[in-house]
Amino acid sequence: MVKKQAIQLFEERKVRTVWDDTEEKWYFSIVDVVAILTDSKDYQAARNYWKVLKNRLKKEGNETVTNCNRLKMLAADGKMRMTDVADTEQLFRLIQSIPSPKAEPFKLWMAHVASMRIDQLQDPELSINQAIADYRRLGYSEAWINQRIKSIEVRKELTDEWHRTGVQEGQQYATLTDIITQAWSGLTTKQYKHHKGLKKENLRDNMTNIEIALNTLAEASATELSKQRDPKGFKGQAKVARDGGKVAKAARNQLEQQLGRTIISREKASDYLLPDNGKNPGDDDTEDKK
C-alpha cells in the first residue's frame, strides 16, 4: 500500500490530501475543509468548529463521523501529526452539516479532484499538466516551472535506469540521490534542506533556477553514464552517481568563478512566491500530537 501526500488548492486555499493507491481514493483533511467552508483564516477556530460539529454528529448517531479515519499529515511545524480525514463520499455527507455558500463549489471541486486522479493514472501527461497549473497558482515563474518539469522528466529517466540495473527502491534510491547531491553541491539532501531552513518540504520545490539546473545536469549525466557503463546493482550505481554529480560540480565551479559568489542559496520558495492568505494548514493540527 502506498499513501502519497499532496497539497490541493481550492481558490488559493490549501487542502492537505492523501492518495491511497490500494483503495484508489483521496482522503482530505477535514479541518482544512472546515476552514474553507467557514471562511476562517484562523485554523484554531476551524479546529474548534470541527470538534463541536463532530461531537454533535456523534450524539446524533451519524455513521459518517464514526467511520472517519485518522492519518498523519504534515503540519506547519514540519512534523507529521494525526488528523481527522474523510474520503470523497464521507466528505460530501459532512459538508451537508456545514452551512456555507462555498459548499456547492467545493463539492464540484472535490469531484473534479477525484476524477482527475483516475484520468492521470491512465494518461501520465495529465499529471504534468496539473503540476504546471499548481505551480502557477502557487506563484512560481514560468522559467522556474519549465526547469522543474524538465527536472521531473530527468529524474524519472534516472530512476528507470536504477530499476533496470537492479537498484532497490527506497533506501538505495535515497542514498544514490544523496551521493549525487553531495557530489555537486557539497551537501547531502538533509544538509541542503537544513541550509535552506526546510523541514519536510520538497527540496527541489525550494531550489532556485540555477540550483535546479545543476541538479538536473547531475542526474542527466548519471543517467547517460549508467547507460554507457551498464553497472550492476547499488555498488555499481554509487560510482556512477558520484561521477554524474562531479559533472555538475565542474559546471558549478566555473559559474561561481565568473560570479564571484556561491550559487548554493539559502533562498526557499516562501521567500519569493506569492504571499499566503493566512496560516498554513496544520498549525498545531490536533490535540493528539503524537
Side-chain angles (χ1 to χ4, degrees):
M1 178 187 299
V2 177
K3 288 185 170 63
K4 182 179 179 181
Q5 304 253 349
I7 298 292
Q8 310 282 356
L9 293 176
F10 172 79
E11 296 181 353
E12 309 304 328
R13 296 291 298 272
K14 297 178 181 178
V15 181
R16 288 167 298 160
T17 64
V18 172
W19 171 258
D20 187 316
D21 71 343
T22 300
E23 298 182 6
E24 292 192 348
K25 65 170 62 175
W26 284 110
Y27 286 95
F28 300 79
S29 165
I30 296 176
V31 71
D32 293 355
V33 175
V34 169
I36 290 171
L37 296 181
T38 59
D39 200 23
S40 176
K41 302 297 194 302
D42 180 359
Y43 275 84
Q44 183 59 51
R47 284 191 294 274
N48 291 340
Y49 187 104
W50 168 234
K51 184 177 181 180
V52 172
L53 177 61
K54 180 167 62 172
N55 288 336
R56 175 171 67 81
L57 293 175
K58 279 185 176 180
K59 290 178 181 178
E60 295 174 357
N62 188 295
E63 292 185 3
T64 300
V65 175
T66 303
N67 295 331
C68 281
N69 293 298
R70 304 196 82 210
L71 293 175
K72 283 192 174 183
M73 287 186 159
L74 186 64
D77 61 4
K79 295 181 180 180
M80 301 297 289
R81 300 192 185 283
M82 296 295 293
T83 189
D84 291 331
V85 299
D87 63 25
T88 304
E89 182 179 353
Q90 292 169 330
L91 208 49
F92 272 127
R93 294 174 181 171
L94 287 176
I95 289 173
Q96 295 175 359
S97 303
I98 305 175
S100 170
K102 293 185 178 181
E104 290 307 314
F106 193 85
K107 288 179 182 179
L108 292 174
W109 175 83
M110 270 202 312
H112 174 68
V113 168
S115 64
M116 181 175 59
R117 178 55 183 169
I118 300 301
D119 291 342
Q120 288 172 353
L121 292 174
Q122 302 298 321
D123 183 359
E125 184 178 345
L126 295 176
S127 297
I128 298 296
N129 293 336
Q130 185 60 46
I132 292 172
D134 288 342
Y135 282 132
R136 282 174 178 159
R137 281 197 295 268
L138 288 170
Y140 287 96
S141 70
E142 290 299 315
W144 186 96
I145 293 171
N146 290 337
Q147 289 267 34
R148 184 69 177 97
I149 296 303
K150 186 61 181 178
S151 76
I152 292 172
E153 296 174 0
V154 169
R155 173 69 180 183
K156 178 63 167 57
E157 188 175 6
L158 175 60
T159 55
D160 285 347
E161 185 65 11
W162 286 346
H163 178 75
R164 183 187 71 80
T165 57
V167 179
Q168 297 178 7
E169 291 189 41
Q171 187 56 52
Q172 289 190 352
Y173 277 31
T175 301
L176 290 175
T177 301
D178 260 351
I179 291 172
I180 292 174
T181 305
Q182 189 166 29
W184 77 261
S185 72
L187 302 169
T188 64
T189 51
K190 184 177 181 179
Q191 292 168 338
Y192 211 148
K193 292 176 74 170
H194 179 75
H195 178 73
K196 285 182 174 287
L198 304 174
K199 293 179 181 177
K200 295 293 185 178
E201 301 95 324
N202 185 294
L203 175 60
R204 295 161 198 250
D205 283 353
N206 287 274
M207 285 182 171
T208 63
N209 281 6
I210 190 62
E211 287 174 310
I212 291 178
L214 289 172
N215 195 70
T216 301
L217 173 60
E219 294 194 331
S221 299
T223 300
E224 293 306 310
L225 290 171
S226 176
K227 290 177 179 178
Q228 183 183 70
R229 299 178 185 178
D230 196 25
K232 301 302 179 185
F234 172 77
K235 289 185 178 180
Q237 282 290 359
K239 177 65 166 60
V240 171
R242 192 170 293 107
D243 290 346
K246 287 179 180 178
V247 173
K249 172 68 171 178
R252 174 195 165 191
N253 287 342
Q254 188 172 12
L255 177 59
E256 288 181 341
Q257 287 175 4
Q258 296 292 323
L259 294 173
R261 62 173 174 82
T262 181
I263 59 86
I264 303 299
S265 174
R266 291 186 180 275
E267 196 173 41
K268 52 185 179 293
S270 60
D271 296 326
Y272 52 82
L273 291 184
L274 296 174
D276 194 8
N277 297 320
K279 293 183 178 181
N280 291 323
D283 289 347
D284 301 325
D285 196 341
T286 175
E287 65 274 11
D288 181 13
K289 296 186 178 180
K290 293 183 181 179

